[in-house]
Amino acid sequence: MSSPNTFHLNQSATTEFVFRVFTTSPKIQALLFCFFLLLYIMTLCGNTAIIWAVYTHTSLRTPMYFFLSNLSLVEICYTTAVVPLMLSNIFESQKPIPLAGCAAQMFVFCTLGGTDCFLLAVMAYDRYVAICHPLHYTLIMTQKRCIQLMAASLGLAVYLNLQLTILIFTVPFCGHRLEINHFFCDAPPVLRLACGDIRVPQAVLFVMGIFVLTVPFVLISISYIFIANTILRIQSAEGRRKAFSTCSSHLSVVLLQYGCGILVYMRPKSSTSEDDDRQLALVYTFVTPLLNPIIYTLRNKDFKDALKKSMNCTAASETP
């Protein structure tokens, strides 16, 4: 007679997930496919342009743009972990994803999302040092320190999300072919399909939300309180404008990223709608990664000038 643990392992080995389709209308499916594909291509192009400009223009080789280029790289990987599979499932094909594949997608997506959040906090710290302690900026934000902060953001996200993913996928699921009311394997919709006691995974998910969302957001808020106080004491109007412009782009991305994340992962489950979660997920999967390059390029004169020079140099080198 097989033990319960053996039954659970056998069940897990055969469990598959399918994603609920957005619509059954072929015309709307085609429109959604084209729309999401266009957003994905724009996201890839915009963030790749930021990386390219930073690493081809010497004036942008500063800590602020080092973190921005790494943020863009994270955004590219973040969307790529979800969008290609989502596009392949739009036309009502409902291709199944095995349990291991679902776990891998959740781990990669949540790890990159966590890295994104930690990196935004690091960028706020960089702006705090630059504006509040300008004389010590080069001594504090050395190349070694920047690499350490980037590595710490990624390492902490990997450590936290590896434990969360393992915990979620050790819970038994009710059936062998399960439909997720979502377009990728995110933690809340996957947990809804479990047939065991999910109180512990839900509690861990909430604590994770505090570590990944609330704590960095509070630190960012504190940084900007000090930054605002320093900017208001600057005598020159031009100096105040320049200091504010370097922060406003980052602050816009922070509010959008953390706002969506907190609404999905931190609100009470009694007020959570599966459809609302899916709609919010579309925002932080498509809109935030797309707005990141747009916000930084449109509101940053130095970056716009450097991007134009890099494009002109490339065009000139290709001219026979």
Side-chain angles (χ1 to χ4, degrees), residues 29 170 193:
Q29 286 173 349
T170 53
L193 301 176

Side-chain angles (χ1 to χ4, degrees), residues 1 29 35-36 53 56 60 69 73 78-79 103 105 112 128 165 169 230 243 269 273 280 292 311 316:
M1 183 175 179
Q29 286 173 349
F35 177 66
F36 290 139
T56 57
L60 297 182
S69 63
L73 179 60
Y78 174 81
T79 54
Q105 186 186 54
L112 293 171
Y128 162 75
T165 304
F169 284 91
T230 301
K269 295 302 172 187
S273 164
L280 285 169
N292 172 36
M311 293 176 67

Side-chain angles (χ1 to χ4, degrees), residues 86-299:
M86 170 196 170
L87 291 174
S88 70
N89 282 286
I90 281 183
F91 291 104
E92 206 178 352
S93 56
Q94 286 194 308
K95 298 174 184 176
I97 179 172
L99 184 138
C102 189
Q105 186 186 54
M106 180 187 295
F107 170 71
V108 171
F109 179 82
C110 292
T111 296
L112 293 171
T115 303
D116 203 327
C117 292
F118 293 140
L119 194 51
L120 287 172
V122 169
M123 293 173 74
Y125 173 71
D126 172 71
R127 292 299 83 208
Y128 162 75
V129 176
I131 293 173
C132 299
H133 303 282
L135 299 179
H136 299 93
Y137 181 71
T138 55
L139 297 176
I140 297 174
M141 300 304 295
T142 61
Q143 184 179 21
K144 181 180 178 181
R145 178 68 56 81
C146 292
I147 294 173
Q148 288 173 339
L149 289 171
M150 181 63 213
S153 299
L154 178 59
L156 183 57
V158 168
Y159 174 74
L160 292 174
N161 286 288
L162 181 60
Q163 296 184 75
L164 177 66
T165 304
I166 292 173
L167 180 62
I168 289 176
F169 284 91
T170 53
V171 176
F173 291 95
C174 306
H176 297 288
R177 188 180 176 92
L178 307 171
E179 185 181 63
I180 303 176
N181 186 16
H182 216 292
F183 57 90
F184 69 95
C185 290
D186 201 4
V190 169
L191 276 176
R192 291 190 184 101
L193 301 176
C195 56
D197 187 355
I198 62 171
R199 287 177 295 179
V200 173
Q202 282 182 334
V204 171
L205 180 61
F206 184 79
V207 173
M208 280 275 296
I210 294 175
F211 274 109
V212 176
L213 294 168
T214 307
V215 172
F217 185 74
V218 169
L219 293 175
I220 291 171
S221 300
I222 293 172
S223 297
Y224 273 103
I225 290 172
F226 286 106
I227 289 171
N229 184 53
T230 301
I231 290 176
L232 292 175
R233 288 191 279 111
I234 296 176
Q235 299 296 324
S236 165
E238 177 63 21
R240 287 196 300 270
R241 186 201 63 76
K242 188 173 182 180
F244 178 76
S245 68
T246 63
C247 299
S248 58
S249 301
H250 174 257
L251 193 56
S252 301
V253 174
V254 165
L255 292 175
L256 189 60
Q257 176 81 7
Y258 282 89
C260 291
I262 289 172
L263 284 174
V264 171
Y265 298 103
M266 300 296 295
R267 62 180 176 173
K269 295 302 172 187
S270 59
S271 64
T272 301
S273 164
E274 293 183 35
D275 291 332
D276 289 345
D277 282 354
R278 188 157 72 156
Q279 291 166 9
L280 285 169
L282 287 172
V283 175
Y284 62 71
T285 302
F286 287 98
V287 179
T288 305
L290 177 61
L291 287 183
N292 172 36
I294 293 175
I295 290 172
Y296 277 104
T297 53
L298 290 181
R299 305 189 66 169

